[in-house]
Amino acid sequence: SGGTLPRQRPPPSDMGRGLTLLLLPLALLAAPAQAEGGRAAEAEVKIEVLHLPEACSPKSKKGDLLNAHYDGFLASDGSKFYCSRTQNEGHPKWFVLGVGQVIKGLDIAMMNMCPGEKRKVTIPPSLAYGQQGYAQGKIPPNATLIFEIELYAVNKGPRSVEAFNQIDKDSDKKLSELEISQYLKEEFARDGKKRHPSVHDEILADIFKKNDHDGDGFISAKEYNVYQHDEL
């Protein structure tokens, strides 16, 4: 079971680094909900807490980097369509919460969850794969999904307020080319890998190309929070 969805690259050995790997599309695709009209707003995710540890901190919030295992079942017949433990040599999945890296229902279902917590959640079609379904994952149209989730870690995400403030040395609420250049130098020095000097310039140019939407030479807090690039 669960061998039909695309594989995710292995997570880096250093949990706090290698964000280029962590932000790749996940095995469970971020398919947009196919609901019509206001149905998506009316639909709800049902959450059943199976286990809650005594120490519940920190609770997950939008933008956090989560590490979790989950099994997916079709509500109609209970058949398992996905098992993260059979993917990627059994490694738990990494993803940023609330930014569309997983289906909308999972983004909702895993809010305010603490490390060690286990949940069983029921997700309506409008917050999953909708009327189209997902044939590659053996999910039929209009399928209600059930996930059993075990959350292992809640970390500050790569696009957190804390990360922005760390890069924004002059606290003017926008990131200059100099500030991001310095951030890249610090990150490169921290991981100790040898790189050709041109790599720094290429990544810096790429970051501004993909994030400086108004072309003013700065990346604003709003632009920074679009979660579109791996290096920040």
Side-chain angles (χ1 to χ4, degrees), residues 74-191:
L74 297 179
S76 58
D77 60 7
S79 62
K80 183 184 289 188
F81 64 84
Y82 185 75
C83 175
S84 63
R85 291 173 175 83
T86 63
Q87 301 285 313
N88 192 26
E89 299 178 348
H91 292 295
K93 302 299 180 191
W94 287 99
F95 63 96
V96 178
L97 183 64
V99 299
Q101 288 192 343
V102 291
I103 57 174
K104 180 71 173 177
L106 279 177
D107 269 340
I108 295 171
M110 296 184 69
M111 289 287 183
N112 297 311
M113 197 171 179
C114 51
E117 185 175 340
K118 297 180 182 179
R119 289 182 177 180
K120 180 179 179 180
V121 303
T122 303
I123 299 174
S126 60
L127 297 175
Y129 294 96
Q131 295 177 352
Q132 292 184 352
Y134 178 44
Q136 189 178 353
K138 295 185 178 180
I139 299 171
N142 300 310
T144 296
L145 307 181
I146 296 173
F147 285 93
E148 292 183 358
I149 306 163
E150 182 173 5
L151 183 60
Y152 294 104
V154 177
N155 296 332
K156 291 178 181 177
R159 295 267 177 143
S160 64
V161 173
E162 293 85 358
F164 183 92
N165 291 337
Q166 181 183 348
I167 302 170
D168 184 21
K169 302 290 187 185
D170 61 6
S171 301
D172 63 353
K173 300 303 179 185
K174 57 185 179 181
L175 306 182
S176 67
E177 190 170 317
L178 181 62
E179 286 172 331
I180 294 181
S181 176
Q182 183 62 34
Y183 167 78
L184 289 175
K185 289 177 182 177
E186 292 171 359
E187 288 296 293
F188 288 173
R190 193 175 281 120
D191 72 18

Side-chain angles (χ1 to χ4, degrees), residues 35-100:
E36 296 177 354
R39 290 173 57 194
E42 296 170 10
E44 290 186 352
V45 175
K46 296 178 182 177
I47 299 173
E48 178 185 355
V49 177
L50 302 178
H51 173 71
L52 188 66
E54 289 185 18
C56 184
S57 179
K59 287 191 174 184
S60 60
K61 63 184 184 303
K62 181 178 179 180
D64 282 345
L65 183 64
L66 305 188
N67 187 232
H69 264 315
Y70 42 84
D71 295 330
F73 306 86
L74 297 179
S76 58
D77 60 7
S79 62
K80 183 184 289 188
F81 64 84
Y82 185 75
C83 175
S84 63
R85 291 173 175 83
T86 63
Q87 301 285 313
N88 192 26
E89 299 178 348
H91 292 295
K93 302 299 180 191
W94 287 99
F95 63 96
V96 178
L97 183 64
V99 299

